[in-house]
Amino acid sequence: MRQESGRSLIEIVGVIAIGTIMAGAAIGMYRMMRENNARTIATSQLEQIAGDVKLLMEMRGDYSGLSVDYLVKAGALKSDKSPLGGEQWSVISSADGESFSINLTELTQGECAYFSTAKPNWATSIVINGYELHAGSDNCFSTPTNQISFIVE
């Protein structure tokens, strides 16, 4: 009599199911880590942009005439690519030239929520979808149409 040593179909399906669950979890973790890394890099770039604008415009005494194009031509920005969000971002001065804002558009709800958790120390205030950020406020939309302005004086 010959004794067979093999696996049943149910055991094979179970192993495949467990492998699929583990692969799904790994992909989810990778995606989350990649998003967090992109947000961290964007935060660092925004801080660098704010610092470069202050240094560049300090001699003039005001921020009038400020734009992304001006910053690229002056060498303060390497390119006009947005740090995060859509391509229609801007850096503009206030009407009186006393402050400027870095405006990001087309942010997802997660990106918006990330920036609305706390005001960075280099920004005077944050405006999310037209409303100034206050403790405990959630002004982020569930669609990827969020707009955030970092006001710097």
Side-chain angles (χ1 to χ4, degrees), residues 36-58:
N36 285 341
N37 190 35
R39 292 172 186 161
T40 302
I41 290 170
T43 301
S44 176
Q45 287 177 341
L46 291 169
E47 182 177 11
Q48 184 69 40
I49 290 168
D52 288 350
V53 168
K54 283 183 174 182
L55 282 173
L56 181 66
M57 306 301 274
E58 188 173 15

Side-chain angles (χ1 to χ4, degrees), residues 67-104:
S67 69
V68 172
D69 188 48
Y70 177 81
L71 294 173
V72 170
K73 288 178 182 176
L77 292 177
K78 293 179 183 176
S79 73
D80 62 354
K81 186 176 183 315
S82 174
L84 192 66
E87 296 303 316
Q88 299 300 318
W89 75 296
S90 63
V91 179
I92 57 173
S93 66
S94 63
D96 61 2
E98 296 293 318
S99 63
F100 67 94
S101 64
I102 303 171
N103 310 298
L104 302 177

Side-chain angles (χ1 to χ4, degrees), residues 71-152:
L71 294 173
V72 170
K73 288 178 182 176
L77 292 177
K78 293 179 183 176
S79 73
D80 62 354
K81 186 176 183 315
S82 174
L84 192 66
E87 296 303 316
Q88 299 300 318
W89 75 296
S90 63
V91 179
I92 57 173
S93 66
S94 63
D96 61 2
E98 296 293 318
S99 63
F100 67 94
S101 64
I102 303 171
N103 310 298
L104 302 177
T105 60
E106 299 175 17
L107 297 174
T108 65
Q109 184 178 15
E111 292 166 344
C112 179
Y114 175 80
F115 287 115
S116 66
T117 55
K119 179 181 72 67
N121 59 358
W122 52 267
T124 308
S125 63
I126 298 177
V127 177
I128 300 174
N129 296 320
Y131 298 98
E132 190 167 349
L133 176 66
H134 297 289
S137 64
D138 182 18
N139 301 324
C140 298
F141 301 141
S142 60
T143 58
T145 58
N146 293 289
Q147 299 178 0
I148 295 182
S149 297
F150 297 93
I151 312 299
V152 183

